[in-house]
Amino acid sequence: MRRITGKAKDETLIELQSATDSQNGDENGGTSVNSSSEKTALPGHTETDKLQPNKDTVFFRDGVRRIDFVLSYVDDKDGEKKQDRRREFEANLEKEGLELETEDKSDSKDQKTYFLKIHAPWNVLATYADVLKIKVPFKTSDVPHSQDVPLEWLSHPFRLPEHIMRPQPDYFTYPFEKSKTDFFLITDKDTFFPPSTRNRIVFYILARCPYYKEGQKERDKTGIKRLLSNGTYTAAFPLHDCRYWKRARNAECESERYNLYKHWARFLCFYKEQPLNLIRKYYGEKIGIYFAWLGFYTEMLFFAAVMGLICFIYGLLSYEDNMSSKEICDADIGGSIVMCPLCDKKCPFWKLNSTCLSSWQSHLFDNEGTVFFAIFMGIWVTLFLEIWKRRQARLEYEWDLVDFEEEQQQLQIRPEFEIRCTNKRLNKITQEMEPYLPVTSKCARFCLSAATVIFWISLIVACIIGVIAYRLAVHAAFASIIKDPMRKIQVVGRFITPQLATSVTASCINFVIIMILNFFYERVAVWITDMEIPKTHLEYENRLTMKMFLFQFVNYYSSCFYVAFFKGKFVGFPGDYTYMFGKRSKLRNEECDPGGCLIELTTQLVIVMSGKQLWGNIQEALLPLMRNWWSSRKGRHHPENHNSRWEQDHVLQNFSQLGLFYEYLEMVVQFGFITLFVASFPLAPLLALFNNILEIRVDAWKFTTQFRRPVASKARNIGAWQEILNAVAILSVVTNAFIIAFTSDMIPRMVFLYAYNENAGMRGYVNNSLSIYNISQIPVYNMPEERDDWFENSTATCRYRDYRYPPGHRKEYTHTMQFWHILAAKMAFIIIMEHVVFVVKFFVAWMIPDIPSDVKARFKRERYLIQEYLHNYEVERLKLQLSASFITEPQSEMSLMTDKHEVLSECL
């Protein structure tokens, strides 16, 4: 095959064009016609300088063959070795039938980079479409769309134009077979396979094409990925069809990127529906499924956010009815109660009314509405997962993904697996020799992987213990600083308690540690998964997903689990306190505020969740914007004025195979925050909703403007993330039940109200929840070094948060019967809430079918039509064969009957 280089200037198509396009031309299809006479030549420039080839195109120089893929490379010190690899690789690509065209480095802006353009002709596309069983249309669909719903006009402001929502008609499809091309709706072979399918086929060839010399088979010298890793090529990518802010000049280009940017990627479109069919057509089903899931998740968050806001407003409106806070803030009640020191030596005795503000804050989130909201979220999670299954089933049918998983498992074996697994065995299904990983090697790799995972999880736990030790150590420091009258900070001491200061600073430190550990976890998880050598791409992603989520789960949620279920639960009582590492460590376990630990869990959740979302948005949006601003400062804001289409895409970021993985991970971690601990912060779904509205448009903007066009790939669902979401949903019911029972004060208040103080309401609850201890019995090492003036001779006892008998009682300092009543009530509440929510969950799941009835009907009709059309096609083809045999070669009656039987047997 003849190779064309950039030096062949005489063969290029020359067109007259101005240096800049007119705005009117861009709005009317992007075509602008300017004659050379309309532009005066600048001094020192000849007439030839104004004639430039049209480089902003996705076609070869002949203007006919489409560029399906682009490889780039540069000459360097190791040039000869890499040149040999490229020569062999490109020769093998030509043997596969691909057509190549090279742009010389002298034509590139940096004068260093070569660009190899690849075109797949019809024969190659047809062959590999048959191999990959790509579904193509054979008949226009006659199934009507869903009927118009009442009050449809209300949704008009949120809808997009029909040609954007449905960029192509609905067809019935069937896996392509090269031998039956006349069975399919082929009007133009050049446009029959869309660009996304073409680049998927070409990448399949590139990933498996060897670059060793003929007769010298070296298994590791295969595929474009290895050539990219060893520097032979610098990049490999399919082209965008046009610039994102202007339509393509060539009318044959689809300008789908421009449509996506105009109707989807701009933030002003945040209230519009997403053009999922156009996203799928341009980027492939895998990316389309992600945005479909993210959009549906955001829609469902709206209902959770509204209910959470209602619960928060209820807390505000019931502010004045909060008897507990009134008693704590009352000077005669809370001001007369002296509390025991919260730490050794540094912490003084203190008055209960010093926590007045935190008790009011706790009531905002720790009220009767919390129980209702926790139950609601348990049901919401079920509705979210079940309705998503229905929507996913609809997308599977509409996007021809129903039978895809089996094909993917069989056909898309990772090239790395084929290269690294030298052993072969017979596949009992295909009856072909295929590579496999021996059991001994698999076990050894699994053990090493498990040990590595355990080590890194232990590191997370060690970091959490370090943060807990920090909390214990600095609590005393904050207590002495805030209470010291010589310090300026005493002005805000009444607003910032030692507990609040400790909680906020510890949460910030924990967030920093989380971000640092995340940097290592991503690399460790990828390394472990690569070491295991998964067989298929699907298996690789599932294994990586499970490892990464396990790391992130422990990393993000450990501190919240500590505050929710451990802090304040194992503190002991005055005279017999519990220490973290024994009494020698002098790190006494933390106590909760008299208002409870729920406000501290809220603080932890808000800081970690909000910090993660803020940092993620900075990484995804602000940093690329800053890079674009810096590029514009250097005069590269409009590269299309002097750069070719492939050079414009070459400077964009590469979208890695795991790019979508991190997008899912971010959203699933957020899903854990709004479900596992939502009882402590009803506004979490509202924060998530605002973040996701921005997230959809930021991700769309990145895909459209900042990334090279990714290779289109298929996926019928969200993969292993579905099982993770199911597990988180079940765990969330348990965690919220325990939070309400053991972290909030809801159950102790209910027991007091209905069992110990039926007539007086909540009056007296604060005094009832505090036990008494004799100050003279406090050991010396627990006593504060300094005492305030008001404390001297004011009382002989102090109070602490527990239910124990007072001094002088025959069972002094042991738990009262009320403690056991409250514990029984807590366990009963957990059991009842879990059973109620789980029963409702299973009932809802049973009531909502996974596949809509209309989708089942359409699927059955398509199967019926496929069988009918195939039968008719085979009959017609048989008739043509029989008639052709009569015309071309007269035969005897006996031989003719034999031929008829053979043809019919083949058909049957």
Side-chain angles (χ1 to χ4, degrees):
M1 181 174 294
R2 184 171 60 88
R3 300 290 300 280
I4 307 174
T5 65
K7 294 296 185 181
K9 300 290 187 181
D10 296 335
E11 296 180 13
T12 60
L13 298 176
I14 306 297
E15 69 171 20
L16 288 174
Q17 63 179 22
S18 62
T20 57
D21 295 326
S22 66
Q23 185 66 26
N24 293 335
D26 294 329
E27 294 299 327
N28 298 319
T31 58
S32 58
V33 181
N34 292 354
S35 65
S36 59
S37 61
E38 292 176 349
K39 186 170 181 177
T40 305
L42 295 174
H45 288 255
T46 65
E47 188 71 12
T48 309
D49 292 333
K50 295 186 299 178
L51 303 178
Q52 297 294 333
N54 177 21
K55 288 188 174 183
D56 190 28
T57 179
V58 293
F59 293 95
F60 275 20
R61 296 191 193 93
D62 56 17
V64 177
R65 293 175 293 172
R66 189 182 187 103
I67 301 171
D68 296 315
F69 228 86
V70 174
L71 307 181
S72 66
Y73 60 92
V74 295
D75 290 331
D76 52 21
K77 297 179 181 179
D78 196 18
E80 292 186 7
K81 194 172 183 180
K82 293 178 180 178
Q83 190 173 1
D84 290 340
R85 294 177 191 153
R86 286 193 293 267
R87 187 183 300 111
E88 295 299 331
F89 185 67
E90 292 167 17
N92 289 329
L93 289 179
E94 290 178 340
K95 290 179 181 178
E96 291 288 338
L98 298 178
E99 297 177 5
L100 313 178
E101 184 177 82
T102 304
E103 289 289 330
D104 194 83
K105 65 179 180 181
S106 61
D107 291 332
S108 62
K109 184 181 178 183
D110 59 6
Q111 301 288 304
K112 297 178 181 178
T113 306
Y114 294 87
F115 290 95
L116 177 67
K117 299 175 289 184
I118 302 175
H119 168 75
W122 167 258
N123 188 51
V124 174
L125 293 174
T127 300
Y128 281 93
D130 196 343
V131 171
L132 295 175
K133 303 299 180 186
I134 293 175
K135 289 188 175 182
V136 294
F138 70 91
K139 182 185 183 300
T140 304
S141 174
D142 58 356
V143 179
H145 295 296
S146 57
Q147 300 296 323
D148 293 339
V149 295
L151 301 177
E152 186 184 6
W153 59 272
L154 291 174
S155 65
H156 277 218
F158 310 103
R159 300 180 67 181
L160 293 174
E162 186 65 18
H163 74 279
I164 299 297
M165 291 303 297
R166 297 187 179 277
Q168 56 189 6
D170 286 341
Y171 294 105
F172 291 128
T173 59
Y174 185 73
F176 184 80
E177 293 184 25
K178 191 176 180 181
S179 60
K180 300 178 181 178
T181 53
D182 51 341
F183 174 71
F184 303 101
L185 297 178
I186 304 176
T187 55
D188 184 356
K189 291 184 177 180
D190 292 334
T191 59
F192 179 67
F193 292 107
S196 57
T197 302
R198 296 174 69 102
N199 70 55
R200 179 186 164 205
I201 290 174
V202 173
F203 183 75
Y204 182 87
I205 298 172
L206 292 174
R208 286 159 177 78
C209 183
Y211 56 91
Y212 48 75
K213 294 182 180 179
E214 189 174 353
Q216 299 179 358
K217 290 190 176 182
E218 301 176 57
R219 295 187 55 83
D220 59 336
K221 291 187 176 182
T222 303
I224 187 62
K225 289 185 178 181
R226 293 192 64 85
L227 291 172
L228 289 171
S229 63
N230 60 33
T232 304
Y233 291 99
T234 56
F237 54 93
L239 291 178
H240 284 292
D241 60 3
C242 65
R243 293 161 286 174
Y244 64 85
W245 65 91
K246 291 183 181 180
R247 294 185 183 274
R249 293 193 183 103
N250 193 329
E252 295 183 12
C253 291
E254 299 82 0
S255 296
E256 292 173 349
R257 185 190 188 193
Y258 168 78
N259 289 330
L260 285 170
Y261 176 74
K262 182 179 179 181
H263 297 283
W264 178 52
R266 295 188 301 174
F267 182 73
L268 294 178
C269 301
F270 72 91
Y271 63 93
K272 296 281 190 179
E273 59 184 337
Q274 296 188 87
L276 295 177
N277 288 317
L278 185 57
I279 298 169
R280 173 248 181 167
K281 184 173 182 287
Y282 192 74
Y283 290 113
E285 288 78 3
K286 190 171 184 179
I287 293 177
I289 284 285
Y290 164 72
F291 281 104
W293 176 82
L294 180 57
F296 175 74
Y297 172 44
T298 305
E299 292 173 15
M300 292 295 292
L301 271 178
F302 174 78
F303 302 101
V306 169
M307 191 58 63
L309 186 61
I310 291 174
C311 291
F312 180 75
I313 293 174
Y314 171 80
L316 287 174
L317 296 178
S318 60
Y319 218 56
E320 296 299 324
D321 300 330
N322 182 16
M323 185 57 65
S324 299
S325 295
K326 287 182 178 180
E327 290 185 348
I328 291 175
C329 298
D330 192 297
D332 296 331
I333 302 176
S336 63
I337 296 178
V338 177
M339 302 295 293
C340 299
L342 295 174
C343 63
D344 298 340
K345 299 294 185 181
K346 298 296 182 183
C347 297
F349 293 94
W350 52 287
K351 291 187 177 181
L352 181 61
N353 63 351
S354 65
T355 61
C356 174
L357 182 62
S358 64
S359 68
W360 285 111
Q361 293 170 343
S362 296
H363 176 74
L364 291 176
F365 308 106
D366 189 5
N367 52 65
E368 292 78 6
T370 304
V371 180
F372 168 77
F373 187 61
I375 296 174
F376 169 82
M377 286 302 294
I379 300 171
W380 175 88
V381 168
T382 303
L383 288 172
F384 165 66
L385 295 175
E386 293 301 320
I387 298 176
W388 165 246
K389 289 179 183 177
R390 290 172 58 83
R391 184 166 297 191
Q392 186 172 259
R394 189 179 298 277
L395 289 175
E396 285 182 20
Y397 170 74
E398 293 178 353
W399 292 359
D400 295 322
L401 299 171
V402 176
D403 301 322
F404 171 70
E405 187 170 359
E406 183 179 356
E407 298 168 8
Q408 187 184 49
Q409 289 281 3
Q410 293 178 355
L411 297 174
Q412 296 190 5
I413 297 177
R414 297 174 65 238
E416 294 85 352
F417 182 85
E418 296 176 335
I419 292 169
R420 297 176 65 180
C421 297
T422 57
N423 299 314
K424 285 192 174 184
R425 66 181 176 186
L426 183 67
N427 188 317
K428 296 180 180 179
I429 299 174
T430 63
Q431 292 297 310
E432 295 179 357
M433 299 298 292
E434 64 175 13
Y436 80 102
L437 192 65
V439 176
T440 54
S441 177
K442 189 179 295 186
C443 291
R445 293 172 187 274
F446 175 79
C447 292
L448 180 58
S449 173
T452 307
V453 170
I454 293 173
F455 169 78
W456 282 94
I457 290 179
S458 302
L459 181 62
I460 300 174
V461 175
C463 291
I464 296 299
I465 293 175
V467 173
I468 295 172
Y470 163 84
R471 299 172 70 109
L472 302 179
V474 302
H475 183 271
F478 278 119
S480 60
I481 291 174
I482 292 176
K483 297 299 180 182
D484 189 348
M486 300 302 293
R487 304 269 185 176
K488 297 286 185 181
I489 201 171
Q490 67 155 346
V491 178
V492 294
R494 58 189 294 266
F495 300 105
I496 301 179
T497 63
Q499 292 94 329
L500 180 61
T502 302
S503 179
V504 171
T505 56
S507 299
C508 293
I509 292 174
N510 187 67
F511 174 72
V512 173
I513 293 175
I514 287 172
M515 293 294 103
I516 294 173
L517 290 178
N518 271 346
F519 176 80
F520 295 101
Y521 292 152
E522 293 177 2
R523 287 151 181 80
V524 171
V526 171
W527 177 78
I528 294 173
T529 310
D530 287 338
M531 180 193 64
E532 294 177 355
I533 322 180
K535 184 177 181 179
T536 64
H537 293 285
L538 181 64
E539 186 179 356
Y540 180 89
E541 290 188 7
N542 288 345
R543 290 192 186 185
L544 180 62
T545 297
M546 298 305 296
K547 293 180 181 64
M548 183 63 79
F549 182 76
L550 180 62
F551 283 144
Q552 300 285 30
F553 184 91
V554 179
N555 194 23
Y556 277 106
Y557 305 142
S558 294
S559 57
C560 293
F561 273 105
Y562 164 73
V563 175
F565 305 124
F566 296 97
K567 182 180 178 182
K569 308 300 186 294
F570 310 100
V571 295
F573 60 94
D576 189 20
Y577 285 116
T578 305
Y579 292 79
M580 185 175 179
F581 301 111
K583 289 187 177 181
R584 292 185 179 181
S585 68
K586 299 182 180 180
L587 295 176
R588 201 172 97 191
N589 287 351
E590 286 184 281
E591 295 184 42
C592 293
D593 271 330
C597 273
L598 195 70
I599 188 63
E600 295 193 38
L601 177 58
T602 303
T603 303
Q604 178 79 24
L605 183 63
V606 169
I607 290 177
V608 176
M609 179 180 173
S610 302
K612 181 185 182 303
Q613 293 184 165
L614 180 62
W615 177 248
N617 290 329
I618 290 174
Q619 284 184 311
E620 294 185 5
L622 292 184
L623 293 181
L625 284 174
M626 291 176 64
R627 281 196 297 267
N628 290 348
W629 175 82
W630 182 250
S631 297
S632 65
R633 294 271 296 181
K634 292 186 174 184
R636 295 199 298 264
H637 187 64
H638 295 291
E640 82 286 354
N641 291 336
H642 44 263
N643 286 3
S644 59
R645 161 72 19 227
W646 42 91
E647 286 183 284
Q648 293 175 45
D649 287 5
H650 184 258
V651 298
L652 298 178
Q653 300 179 56
N654 180 45
F655 185 77
S656 67
Q657 183 183 354
L658 299 178
L660 211 57
F661 168 83
Y662 295 113
E663 302 294 344
Y664 273 118
L665 180 64
E666 180 183 0
M667 288 296 103
V668 172
V669 169
Q670 180 201 86
F671 181 80
F673 279 125
I674 69 167
T675 54
L676 293 175
F677 310 103
V678 74
S680 67
F681 187 48
L683 294 180
L686 185 63
L687 293 181
L689 175 64
F690 290 146
N691 176 80
N692 287 9
I693 292 174
L694 178 63
E695 180 75 19
I696 291 175
R697 304 304 160 177
V698 168
D699 286 349
W701 175 77
K702 286 192 311 180
F703 274 93
T704 310
T705 67
Q706 302 299 303
F707 286 128
R708 297 169 187 161
R709 186 174 183 173
V711 178
S713 56
K714 286 181 173 287
R716 64 176 300 183
N717 50 43
I718 61 175
W721 299 111
Q722 184 75 39
E723 298 304 322
I724 290 175
L725 291 174
N726 290 331
V728 172
I730 294 173
L731 182 61
S732 67
V733 178
V734 179
T735 56
N736 284 301
F738 272 84
I739 287 172
I740 294 174
F742 288 97
T743 309
S744 78
D745 269 3
M746 182 61 58
I747 303 302
R749 287 200 296 262
M750 293 298 101
V751 171
F752 174 79
L753 177 63
Y754 294 110
Y756 289 88
N757 202 31
E758 297 181 7
N759 299 324
M762 292 301 296
R763 192 176 301 278
Y765 169 73
V766 172
N767 184 65
N768 175 265
S769 64
L770 299 175
S771 298
I772 303 173
Y773 197 85
N774 194 336
I775 295 177
S776 62
Q777 294 180 300
I778 297 178
V780 178
Y781 55 82
N782 291 138
M783 289 291 288
E785 295 175 347
E786 300 178 2
R787 303 183 186 181
D788 295 330
D789 295 336
W790 59 264
F791 176 76
E792 297 297 334
N793 302 320
S794 62
T795 180
T797 60
C798 64
R799 310 293 292 272
Y800 60 99
R801 181 182 170 86
D802 207 343
Y803 293 93
R804 294 178 183 271
Y805 289 109
H809 194 277
R810 64 185 182 88
K811 297 181 179 179
E812 67 174 3
Y813 305 139
T814 60
H815 284 123
T816 63
M817 187 57 65
Q818 186 176 354
F819 169 84
W820 299 108
H821 289 166
I822 292 174
L823 181 61
K826 288 179 177 180
M827 300 306 297
F829 172 81
I830 291 173
I831 294 172
I832 293 173
M833 178 179 170
E834 286 184 355
H835 280 71
V836 169
V837 175
F838 280 132
V839 167
V840 174
K841 281 169 65 71
F842 291 135
F843 178 75
V844 170
W846 174 75
M847 285 289 293
I848 301 177
D850 292 346
I851 303 176
S853 58
D854 64 315
V855 172
K856 288 182 179 179
R858 294 177 66 183
F859 179 67
K860 290 178 179 179
R861 172 158 178 75
E862 181 170 346
R863 285 292 175 93
Y864 166 77
L865 287 175
I866 288 174
Q867 296 297 326
E868 182 182 13
Y869 271 73
L870 275 177
H871 174 267
N872 294 337
Y873 171 78
E874 293 292 347
V875 170
E876 291 297 326
R877 191 166 70 164
L878 178 59
K879 290 179 180 178
L880 290 174
Q881 289 176 351
L882 291 174
S883 62
S885 64
F886 277 114
I887 295 172
T888 57
E889 187 176 343
Q891 298 177 350
S892 64
E893 184 177 355
M894 184 63 68
S895 62
L896 186 59
M897 291 297 295
T898 305
D899 291 342
K900 284 183 180 180
H901 284 297
E902 290 178 355
V903 173
L904 287 173
S905 62
E906 288 181 8
C907 181
L908 294 174

